[in-house]
């Protein structure tokens, strides 16, 4: 009797453990100005902790929250911040440099003038843009220990990298709770942990920037798949569309011929910074940056509707709706 009771107890325990390992839990919330979801298999309350972590990061990094660390830097021109924020600013500056200034976290005075921060859209005059562009120069943003300081009148915004970074932190947190399978969607920035519970790779849709639905699907595993698109935030005035990704060289919405850029790689932070940067740079310069630097792959959609991918995505990017890949960028071409 005692032996069979013990066997039953062990069986119940095993069943509980295996159902815990596969139990799915999702947190859905609105943070960093977008809808987010964290779905994890196993890990108990880890998704709740993940949600709290995203809000904590938002409180540190937001430019619209007057009490954030970034607001403190912007208000005083120099402020002591947490080690985490200092390190994030330093990493973002590295991406600004890598992109030759196509990504510039100090472009904020310009994006603000276009009304993208407050949602009060307007087209600034040329003279206003010229004046504001004098304040844009990431090389004048300094990180020394935990202090971030800016040149006179400058302002910074980590909006181009914050969601990717948050995705990295969430992935790390879930992993530390023993989660082996999760999908994190931070406003179209997707990060996946492991594979799907059935062992297949995650299939991540690349939104059609010119309509509804998807232009294709990328298979991914333990990676970030991050898209920057003109369609994400824009306004139309006198029949012209103005979007939120600004070319720091002229202070105007980037007009590089691309309407969306998806970057795939291990680091959400790098993929996020790069997706914004490559959008500004346009296909040719983006291809050059990709050839010179390993560690990521990219898919581009041009304003003509062409789909262009880097060769590492061949075999794991499937187009949808009868579309075809127009070009594969290869490493050994020039
Ligand atoms: P993302 O959606 O990651 O491409 O980031 C776009 C956001 O980054 C915008 O909403 C702005 O807040 C900011 N931004 C726009 N243009 C740039 C730029 N060239 N460099 C850095 N940040 C930018
Ligand atoms: Mg970005």
């Amino acid at each position: 009797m005692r032996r069979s009771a013990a066997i039953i107890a062990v069986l119940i325990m095993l069943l509980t453990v295996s159902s815990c390992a596969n139990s799915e839990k999702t947190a859905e919330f609105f943070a960093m100005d977008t809808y987010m979801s964290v779905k994890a298999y196993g890990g108990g309350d880890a998704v709740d902790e993940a949600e709290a972590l995203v809000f904590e990061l938002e409180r540190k990094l937001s430019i619209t929250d007057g009490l954030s660390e970034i607001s403190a830097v912007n208000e005083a021109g120099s402020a002591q911040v947490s080690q985490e924020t200092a390190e994030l600013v330093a990493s973002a500056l590295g991406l600004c440099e890598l992109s030759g200034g196509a990504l510039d976290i100090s472009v904020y005075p310009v994006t603000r003038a276009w009304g993208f921060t407050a949602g009060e859209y307007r087209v600034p005059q040329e003279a206003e843009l010229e004046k504001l562009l004098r304040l844009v120069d990431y090389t004048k943003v300094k990180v020394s220990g935990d202090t971030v300081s800016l040149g006179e009148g400058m302002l910074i915004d980590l909006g181009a990298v914050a969601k990717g970074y948050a995705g990295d932190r969430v992935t790390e947190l879930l992993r530390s709770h023993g989660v082996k399978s999760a999908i994190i969607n931070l406003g179209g920035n997707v990060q996946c942990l492991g594979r799907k519970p059935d062992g297949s790779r995650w299939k991540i849709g690349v939104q059609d920037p010119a309509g509804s639905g998807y232009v294709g699907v990328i298979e991914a595993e333990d990676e970030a798949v991050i898209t920057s698109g003109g369609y994400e935030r824009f306004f139309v005035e006198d029949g012209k569309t103005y979007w939120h990704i600004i070319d720091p060289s002229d202070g105007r919405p980037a007009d590089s011929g691309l309407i969306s850029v998806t970057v795939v790689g291990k680091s959400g932070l790098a993929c996020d910074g790069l997706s914004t940067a490559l959008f500004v740079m346009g296909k040719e310069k983006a291809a050059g940056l990709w050839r010179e630097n390993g560690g990521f792959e990219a898919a581009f959609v041009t304003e003509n509707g062409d789909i262009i991918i880097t060769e590492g995505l061949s075999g794991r990017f499937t187009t949808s709706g009868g579309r075809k890949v127009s070009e594969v960028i290869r490493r050994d071409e020039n």
Side-chain angles (χ1 to χ4, degrees):
M1 271 307 265
R2 251 207 249 143
R3 210 172 136 208
S4 60
I7 289 170
I8 288 168
V10 166
L11 274 175
I12 290 173
M13 222 173 71
L14 284 174
L15 279 172
T16 318
V17 167
S18 74
S19 77
C20 280
N22 291 316
S23 73
E24 173 194 321
K25 194 163 174 190
T26 304
E28 286 175 330
F29 48 98
F30 189 86
M32 298 184 172
D33 215 18
T34 187
Y35 289 97
M36 303 190 162
S37 70
V38 178
K39 183 196 271 188
Y41 295 85
D45 293 331
V47 294
D48 299 325
E49 278 186 42
E51 177 177 345
L53 173 61
V54 173
F55 282 113
E56 183 193 316
L57 289 172
E58 181 178 30
R59 275 194 300 278
K60 278 186 182 168
L61 307 175
S62 167
I63 40 161
T64 50
D65 178 346
L67 298 175
S68 77
E69 296 184 357
I70 297 300
S71 292
V73 172
N74 284 341
E75 265 161 42
S78 176
Q80 197 177 355
V81 296
S82 60
Q83 188 186 341
E84 173 170 45
T85 300
E87 282 172 6
L88 178 57
V89 172
S91 303
L93 290 172
L95 293 167
C96 294
E97 190 169 344
L98 183 74
S99 71
L103 181 78
D104 191 323
I105 56 169
S106 71
V107 81
Y108 180 37
V110 179
T111 47
R112 191 171 68 164
W114 285 90
F116 286 112
T117 317
E120 289 157 5
Y121 303 125
R122 58 189 275 274
V123 180
Q125 297 287 316
E126 193 55 49
E128 183 184 354
L129 286 179
E130 256 174 46
K131 210 170 132 204
L132 293 174
L133 279 171
R134 282 183 225 136
L135 302 173
V136 180
D137 181 358
Y138 72 89
T139 65
K140 294 197 178 121
V141 180
K142 304 286 179 206
V143 181
S144 168
D146 293 348
T147 300
V148 178
S149 42
L150 314 176
E152 184 68 30
M154 290 175 72
L155 302 169
I156 55 167
D157 164 21
L158 298 179
V161 295
K163 281 182 260 166
Y165 174 70
D168 287 339
R169 288 288 320 276
V170 166
T171 308
E172 202 179 276
L173 181 134
L174 296 179
R175 209 175 260 135
S176 75
H177 278 76
V179 174
K180 300 275 187 311
S181 172
I183 186 101
I184 300 148
N185 188 337
L186 309 180
N189 287 358
V190 178
Q191 243 145 302
C192 53
L193 196 167
R195 290 185 168 219
K196 289 194 332 195
D198 68 7
S200 64
R201 288 197 282 188
W202 295 101
K203 292 183 180 62
I204 297 160
V206 176
Q207 215 169 309
D208 180 357
S212 56
Y214 298 109
V215 294
V217 171
I218 293 175
E219 288 190 39
E221 169 184 2
D222 271 324
E223 271 166 323
V225 178
I226 293 188
T227 301
S228 284
Y231 62 90
E232 287 173 328
R233 186 160 303 176
F234 65 92
F235 66 96
V236 180
E237 196 172 297
D238 296 331
K240 201 171 166 0
T241 299
Y242 300 95
W243 51 57
H244 67 137
I245 300 174
I246 300 292
D247 185 340
S249 68
D250 64 4
R252 302 187 161 277
D255 187 17
S256 68
L258 300 176
I259 56 171
S260 100
V261 178
T262 301
V263 178
V264 184
K266 291 289 175 197
S267 157
L269 166 62
C271 290
D272 199 355
L274 285 171
S275 69
T276 312
L278 302 187
F279 189 100
V280 172
M281 293 168 83
K283 189 204 114 186
E284 294 305 331
K285 284 188 185 160
L289 192 146
W290 171 77
R291 286 197 184 97
E292 284 158 25
N293 300 275
F296 73 95
E297 301 296 332
F300 307 93
V301 181
T302 71
E303 57 195 3
N304 306 323
D306 290 341
I307 301 170
I308 300 163
I309 60 171
T310 54
E311 66 183 341
L313 288 186
S314 296
R316 60 189 190 111
F317 180 91
T318 312
T319 47
S320 321
R323 293 178 184 84
K324 286 203 162 50
V325 169
S326 315
E327 187 188 339
V328 178
I329 302 172
R330 301 196 184 278
R331 226 166 256 289
D332 52 9
E333 285 169 15
N334 48 45

